[in-house]
Amino acid sequence: MKKFAIAAATATALTLTMANAAFAQQPAQSPMTLAAGEMTKAKEETKDTWITTKVKADLMTEKGIPGSDIKVETNKGVVSLSSDVAITQSQKEQAIAITKKIKGVQDVSADGLKTE
């Protein structure tokens, strides 16, 4: 029984020593740095969601633009407009102009908008 207890204690000590060595090799990053990075990411995602919602709402309420046919995606302030249904060149230009006026929009890509 004593031999088993000694073997178990030795195995535990070796495991803890190896675990400490493994953790010591990884560069330590402070919890505040990690939290700040996550907060920045969350703010960007929230901002992009707000932009997407605002663009979609403005396109839906604008007369002469088929807002329900235009898909809106935002990534880091860059808005991508696309559609499966063809729209006129004038409607495309108007959709781009409406999108560019929205606060926070960095750029607009309308390559995905099909035109007649």
Side-chain angles (χ1 to χ4, degrees):
M1 188 68 138
K2 247 184 182 178
K3 287 182 184 180
F4 177 75
I6 293 172
T10 304
T12 302
L14 288 173
T15 302
L16 291 174
T17 303
M18 291 171 60
N20 284 338
F23 285 121
Q25 291 175 359
Q26 296 176 352
Q29 199 169 17
S30 75
M32 292 303 288
T33 303
L34 291 172
E38 290 300 315
M39 286 300 294
T40 302
K41 183 179 175 184
K43 285 181 183 178
E44 282 180 7
E45 290 173 0
T46 302
K47 182 179 171 186
D48 286 344
T49 301
W50 182 87
I51 292 170
T52 299
T53 302
K54 179 68 173 146
V55 170
K56 192 68 175 167
D58 286 3
L59 293 176
M60 293 287 287
T61 57
E62 185 67 33
K63 289 184 179 180
I65 295 196
S68 60
D69 293 332
I70 298 175
K71 183 178 178 184
V72 180
E73 294 179 351
T74 308
N75 186 13
K76 296 182 182 176
V78 177
V79 179
S80 298
L81 304 175
S82 61
S83 65
D84 292 330
V85 177
I87 61 174
T88 65
Q89 184 63 33
S90 173
Q91 289 172 326
K92 179 178 180 177
E93 290 168 5
Q94 194 174 3
I96 293 168
I98 289 168
T99 303
K100 285 184 177 181
K101 289 181 185 177
I102 295 173
K103 182 181 177 184
V105 173
Q106 302 296 318
D107 196 13
V108 179
S109 171
D111 296 337
L113 284 176
K114 293 183 180 180
T115 55
E116 297 176 337

